Amino acid sequence: MSFSVIVPARLASSRLPNKPLADIEGQPMIVRVAQRAALSKATQVVVATDSPLIIDACRAHGVRALLTRADHVSGSDRLAEACEQLGLDGQDLVVNVQGDEPLIAPAMIDACAELLKARPQCVMSTVAHALDDAAEFANPNVVKVVLDAQGLALYFSRAPIPWWRDGSSATQANLAAAGALRHVGMYAYHAGFLRRFPTLTTSPLEQIESLEQLRVLWHGERIAVYVSPDKPGPGVDTPEDLARVRAIFAASQSRQVT
Protein backbone atom coordinates (compact mmCIF):
# COMPACT_ATOMS: atom_id res chain seq x y z
CA MET A 1 0.00 0.00 0.00
CA SER A 2 1.31 3.43 -0.93
CA PHE A 3 0.14 6.78 0.37
CA SER A 4 1.28 10.38 0.74
CA VAL A 5 1.37 12.41 3.93
CA ILE A 6 0.48 16.09 3.57
CA VAL A 7 0.90 18.39 6.56
CA PRO A 8 -1.20 21.59 6.34
CA ALA A 9 0.42 24.52 8.13
CA ARG A 10 -0.99 28.01 8.62
CA LEU A 11 1.22 30.67 10.18
CA ALA A 12 -1.57 32.50 12.01
CA SER A 13 -2.66 31.09 15.37
CA SER A 14 -4.77 32.90 17.94
CA ARG A 15 -3.48 30.93 20.93
CA LEU A 16 0.16 30.54 19.91
CA PRO A 17 1.49 33.04 17.33
CA ASN A 18 3.73 31.58 14.60
CA LYS A 19 3.10 28.12 16.02
CA PRO A 20 4.56 26.07 13.11
CA LEU A 21 7.89 27.88 13.52
CA ALA A 22 8.11 27.40 17.30
CA ASP A 23 11.53 26.05 18.20
CA ILE A 24 11.71 22.52 19.61
CA GLU A 25 15.27 21.59 20.53
CA GLY A 26 16.78 23.50 17.63
CA GLN A 27 14.22 22.76 14.89
CA PRO A 28 10.86 24.31 13.96
CA MET A 29 7.82 22.35 15.08
CA ILE A 30 6.61 21.84 11.50
CA VAL A 31 9.94 20.17 10.69
CA ARG A 32 9.61 17.91 13.73
CA VAL A 33 6.16 16.83 12.52
CA ALA A 34 7.44 16.07 9.01
CA GLN A 35 10.33 14.05 10.45
CA ARG A 36 7.94 11.90 12.48
CA ALA A 37 5.68 11.38 9.46
CA ALA A 38 8.69 10.30 7.39
CA LEU A 39 9.10 7.33 9.75
CA SER A 40 5.74 5.95 8.55
CA LYS A 41 5.24 3.89 5.38
CA ALA A 42 4.39 7.02 3.38
CA THR A 43 6.00 7.32 -0.04
CA GLN A 44 6.31 11.09 0.39
CA VAL A 45 5.81 13.74 3.08
CA VAL A 46 4.90 17.26 1.98
CA VAL A 47 4.06 20.41 3.96
CA ALA A 48 1.30 22.59 2.44
CA THR A 49 1.36 26.14 3.77
CA ASP A 50 0.26 29.71 3.16
CA SER A 51 3.53 31.20 4.40
CA PRO A 52 6.85 31.75 2.61
CA LEU A 53 8.46 31.73 6.08
CA ILE A 54 7.31 28.14 6.61
CA ILE A 55 8.48 27.21 3.10
CA ASP A 56 11.95 28.56 3.92
CA ALA A 57 12.08 26.78 7.29
CA CYS A 58 11.12 23.45 5.73
CA ARG A 59 13.55 23.69 2.85
CA ALA A 60 16.38 24.63 5.23
CA HIS A 61 15.87 21.25 6.91
CA GLY A 62 15.32 19.16 3.77
CA VAL A 63 11.51 18.99 4.05
CA ARG A 64 9.46 19.34 0.87
CA ALA A 65 6.91 22.19 1.04
CA LEU A 66 4.30 23.72 -1.25
CA LEU A 67 2.98 27.28 -1.15
CA THR A 68 -0.84 27.28 -1.23
CA ARG A 69 -3.46 30.01 -1.18
CA ALA A 70 -3.97 32.03 2.00
CA ASP A 71 -7.78 32.05 1.86
CA HIS A 72 -8.52 28.37 2.55
CA VAL A 73 -11.14 27.96 5.28
CA SER A 74 -9.90 24.55 6.45
CA GLY A 75 -6.91 22.25 6.38
CA SER A 76 -8.75 19.88 4.03
CA ASP A 77 -9.27 22.70 1.53
CA ARG A 78 -5.54 23.37 1.65
CA LEU A 79 -4.83 19.67 1.10
CA ALA A 80 -7.09 19.67 -1.95
CA GLU A 81 -4.95 22.35 -3.56
CA ALA A 82 -1.80 20.45 -2.61
CA CYS A 83 -3.17 17.31 -4.33
CA GLU A 84 -3.62 19.34 -7.51
CA GLN A 85 -0.09 20.70 -7.30
CA LEU A 86 1.30 17.19 -6.73
CA GLY A 87 -0.73 15.75 -9.63
CA LEU A 88 -2.19 12.93 -7.51
CA ASP A 89 -4.61 10.46 -9.09
CA GLY A 90 -8.16 10.34 -7.75
CA GLN A 91 -7.61 6.96 -6.06
CA ASP A 92 -4.29 7.91 -4.47
CA LEU A 93 -4.38 7.78 -0.67
CA VAL A 94 -3.50 10.91 1.27
CA VAL A 95 -3.06 11.20 5.05
CA ASN A 96 -3.51 14.61 6.66
CA VAL A 97 -1.17 14.92 9.65
CA GLN A 98 -1.72 18.05 11.74
CA GLY A 99 1.19 20.46 11.90
CA ASP A 100 1.01 20.72 15.69
CA GLU A 101 1.62 17.01 16.45
CA PRO A 102 5.42 16.73 16.72
CA LEU A 103 5.16 13.48 18.69
CA ILE A 104 2.69 11.68 16.41
CA ALA A 105 3.29 7.92 16.18
CA PRO A 106 4.28 6.73 12.67
CA ALA A 107 2.34 3.47 13.24
CA MET A 108 -0.82 5.50 13.84
CA ILE A 109 -0.38 7.17 10.45
CA ASP A 110 -0.06 3.75 8.80
CA ALA A 111 -3.16 2.41 10.61
CA CYS A 112 -5.27 5.37 9.49
CA ALA A 113 -4.33 4.80 5.84
CA GLU A 114 -4.86 1.04 6.05
CA LEU A 115 -8.34 1.49 7.57
CA LEU A 116 -9.56 3.64 4.68
CA LYS A 117 -8.31 1.09 2.17
CA ALA A 118 -10.27 -1.60 4.05
CA ARG A 119 -13.50 0.47 4.20
CA PRO A 120 -14.50 1.34 0.61
CA GLN A 121 -17.92 2.59 1.77
CA CYS A 122 -16.19 5.47 3.58
CA VAL A 123 -14.73 8.63 2.06
CA MET A 124 -12.44 9.25 5.03
CA SER A 125 -10.82 7.56 8.00
CA THR A 126 -9.52 9.06 11.21
CA VAL A 127 -8.19 8.08 14.65
CA ALA A 128 -9.42 8.12 18.25
CA HIS A 129 -8.36 6.67 21.58
CA ALA A 130 -10.03 5.93 24.90
CA LEU A 131 -10.61 9.02 27.03
CA ASP A 132 -10.06 8.42 30.73
CA ASP A 133 -9.50 11.91 32.14
CA ALA A 134 -12.52 13.88 33.38
CA ALA A 135 -10.80 17.24 32.88
CA GLU A 136 -10.03 16.42 29.24
CA PHE A 137 -13.60 15.21 28.76
CA ALA A 138 -14.86 18.66 29.83
CA ASN A 139 -12.20 20.59 27.88
CA PRO A 140 -13.58 22.18 24.66
CA ASN A 141 -10.10 22.03 23.13
CA VAL A 142 -10.33 18.23 23.32
CA VAL A 143 -12.54 16.94 20.50
CA LYS A 144 -14.70 13.91 21.26
CA VAL A 145 -16.26 11.39 18.87
CA VAL A 146 -19.01 8.77 19.20
CA LEU A 147 -19.24 5.72 16.94
CA ASP A 148 -21.88 3.37 15.59
CA ALA A 149 -21.75 -0.44 15.77
CA GLN A 150 -19.56 -0.60 12.65
CA GLY A 151 -16.92 1.76 14.02
CA LEU A 152 -18.09 4.67 11.89
CA ALA A 153 -18.37 8.20 13.26
CA LEU A 154 -21.80 9.38 14.36
CA TYR A 155 -20.72 12.82 15.58
CA PHE A 156 -17.72 14.88 16.64
CA SER A 157 -17.99 17.59 19.27
CA ARG A 158 -16.04 19.88 21.57
CA ALA A 159 -18.77 19.22 24.13
CA PRO A 160 -18.62 16.19 26.47
CA ILE A 161 -20.19 13.30 24.52
CA PRO A 162 -21.74 10.91 25.28
CA TRP A 163 -23.48 12.64 28.19
CA TRP A 164 -25.13 10.86 31.10
CA ARG A 165 -28.79 11.83 31.44
CA ASP A 166 -29.00 10.66 35.05
CA GLY A 167 -25.83 12.26 36.33
CA SER A 168 -23.51 15.05 35.26
CA SER A 169 -20.47 13.71 37.11
CA ALA A 170 -17.88 12.68 34.54
CA THR A 171 -15.68 10.33 36.54
CA GLN A 172 -12.90 8.18 35.14
CA ALA A 173 -14.96 5.06 35.85
CA ASN A 174 -18.03 6.09 33.87
CA LEU A 175 -15.92 7.57 31.07
CA ALA A 176 -14.51 4.10 30.51
CA ALA A 177 -17.93 2.46 30.84
CA ALA A 178 -19.42 4.75 28.19
CA GLY A 179 -16.55 4.23 25.81
CA ALA A 180 -15.69 7.93 25.65
CA LEU A 181 -13.22 8.61 22.84
CA ARG A 182 -10.85 11.46 22.18
CA HIS A 183 -10.51 12.34 18.51
CA VAL A 184 -7.01 12.60 17.07
CA GLY A 185 -6.90 15.15 14.24
CA MET A 186 -5.49 12.85 11.58
CA TYR A 187 -7.41 11.92 8.41
CA ALA A 188 -6.93 9.67 5.41
CA TYR A 189 -8.73 10.39 2.12
CA HIS A 190 -8.59 9.49 -1.51
CA ALA A 191 -7.27 12.43 -3.51
CA GLY A 192 -10.49 12.46 -5.54
CA PHE A 193 -12.61 13.11 -2.46
CA LEU A 194 -10.20 15.79 -1.28
CA ARG A 195 -10.74 17.59 -4.57
CA ARG A 196 -14.51 17.29 -4.07
CA PHE A 197 -14.43 18.42 -0.45
CA PRO A 198 -14.12 22.18 -1.17
CA THR A 199 -17.22 21.99 -3.38
CA LEU A 200 -19.36 20.77 -0.47
CA THR A 201 -21.26 23.58 1.17
CA THR A 202 -20.11 24.44 4.68
CA SER A 203 -22.48 22.99 7.25
CA PRO A 204 -24.01 24.90 10.19
CA LEU A 205 -22.60 22.28 12.58
CA GLU A 206 -19.11 22.79 11.18
CA GLN A 207 -19.41 26.52 11.83
CA ILE A 208 -20.79 26.08 15.35
CA GLU A 209 -18.20 23.52 16.48
CA SER A 210 -15.36 24.74 14.24
CA LEU A 211 -14.76 21.14 13.14
CA GLU A 212 -14.37 20.60 9.40
CA GLN A 213 -15.10 16.85 9.55
CA LEU A 214 -18.72 17.70 10.38
CA ARG A 215 -19.11 18.97 6.82
CA VAL A 216 -18.53 15.39 5.64
CA LEU A 217 -21.16 13.89 7.98
CA TRP A 218 -23.60 16.71 7.17
CA HIS A 219 -23.54 15.68 3.50
CA GLY A 220 -24.26 12.04 4.32
CA GLU A 221 -20.78 10.61 3.83
CA ARG A 222 -19.18 8.14 6.24
CA ILE A 223 -15.96 8.35 8.24
CA ALA A 224 -14.26 5.20 9.57
CA VAL A 225 -12.51 5.53 12.93
CA TYR A 226 -9.43 3.59 14.00
CA VAL A 227 -9.48 3.25 17.80
CA SER A 228 -5.85 3.20 18.83
CA PRO A 229 -4.83 1.22 21.92
CA ASP A 230 -2.26 3.94 22.61
CA LYS A 231 -2.53 7.65 23.21
CA PRO A 232 -0.58 9.92 20.87
CA GLY A 233 2.05 12.20 22.28
CA PRO A 234 0.74 15.63 23.33
CA GLY A 235 -0.12 18.11 20.59
CA VAL A 236 0.58 21.84 20.79
CA ASP A 237 -2.31 24.29 21.13
CA THR A 238 -1.06 26.62 23.86
CA PRO A 239 2.23 27.94 25.28
CA GLU A 240 1.85 25.42 28.10
CA ASP A 241 1.57 22.57 25.57
CA LEU A 242 4.70 23.82 23.83
CA ALA A 243 6.65 23.86 27.10
CA ARG A 244 5.56 20.27 27.81
CA VAL A 245 6.61 19.05 24.35
CA ARG A 246 9.93 20.86 24.57
CA ALA A 247 10.61 19.11 27.88
CA ILE A 248 9.86 15.70 26.30
CA PHE A 249 12.25 16.35 23.41
CA ALA A 250 14.94 17.66 25.77
CA ALA A 251 14.66 14.56 27.95
CA SER A 252 14.81 12.30 24.89
CA GLN A 253 17.93 13.97 23.54
CA SER A 254 19.54 13.84 26.98
CA ARG A 255 19.00 10.07 27.10
CA GLN A 256 20.54 9.69 23.64
CA VAL A 257 23.65 11.60 24.72
CA THR A 258 24.11 9.51 27.84
Side-chain angles (χ1 to χ4, degrees):
M1 181 186 68
S2 65
F3 63 92
S4 301
V5 167
I6 303 179
V7 185
R10 190 169 59 93
L11 192 62
S13 173
S14 58
R15 285 175 290 183
L16 187 58
N18 297 334
K19 181 167 68 170
L21 299 179
D23 180 83
I24 299 177
E25 287 295 298
Q27 297 193 37
M29 179 164 60
I30 190 65
V31 171
R32 293 290 189 186
V33 174
Q35 291 171 340
R36 292 292 291 176
L39 297 175
S40 72
K41 296 176 182 177
T43 54
Q44 62 179 340
V45 177
V46 182
V47 171
T49 181
D50 63 350
S51 169
L53 294 176
I54 294 176
I55 293 282
D56 292 343
C58 288
R59 290 177 178 170
H61 292 87
V63 173
R64 187 178 181 186
L66 301 174
L67 187 63
T68 57
R69 300 200 326 262
D71 59 349
H72 289 304
V73 297
S74 74
S76 295
D77 293 302
R78 193 173 308 284
L79 261 69
E81 182 186 347
C83 286
E84 292 290 347
Q85 290 195 37
L86 292 169
L88 296 182
D89 182 77
Q91 289 303 308
D92 287 342
L93 276 174
V94 176
V95 178
N96 173 350
V97 174
Q98 298 298 318
D100 55 7
E101 296 279 351
L103 293 167
I104 196 68
M108 193 175 288
I109 298 173
D110 296 336
C112 188
E114 290 164 359
L115 178 61
L116 181 59
K117 185 176 181 181
R119 293 293 190 99
Q121 77 274 34
C122 298
V123 297
M124 288 171 56
S125 61
T126 189
V127 179
H129 67 84
L131 185 55
D132 57 8
D133 183 280
E136 288 190 343
F137 186 66
N139 186 346
N141 293 322
V142 174
V143 178
K144 278 70 69 174
V145 59
V146 289
L147 312 182
D148 69 10
Q150 305 303 314
L152 307 183
L154 289 171
Y155 191 65
F156 298 85
S157 182
R158 298 182 182 278
I161 56 172
W163 188 253
W164 291 264
R165 184 196 65 177
D166 297 325
S168 60
S169 175
T171 66
Q172 291 184 354
N174 59 26
L175 281 173
L181 295 173
R182 176 176 186 165
H183 178 231
V184 179
M186 179 194 302
Y187 306 97
Y189 328 70
H190 291 289
F193 177 73
L194 262 176
R195 293 192 184 100
R196 183 161 65 89
F197 180 84
T199 71
L200 300 176
T201 55
T202 302
S203 78
L205 294 175
E206 175 188 2
Q207 294 175 318
I208 291 168
E209 297 260 19
S210 190
L211 297 173
E212 65 187 65
Q213 62 269 37
L214 292 176
R215 189 189 314 183
V216 179
L217 298 183
W218 175 264
H219 287 278
E221 302 286 5
R222 307 310 306 271
I223 301 175
V225 181
Y226 169 70
V227 180
S228 172
D230 303 310
K231 295 181 181 180
V236 178
D237 287 314
T238 66
E240 293 76 18
D241 295 335
L242 179 59
R244 182 163 56 250
V245 167
R246 281 172 169 165
I248 293 171
F249 270 89
S252 175
Q253 293 200 0
S254 176
R255 287 194 297 271
Q256 291 174 9
V257 170
T258 57

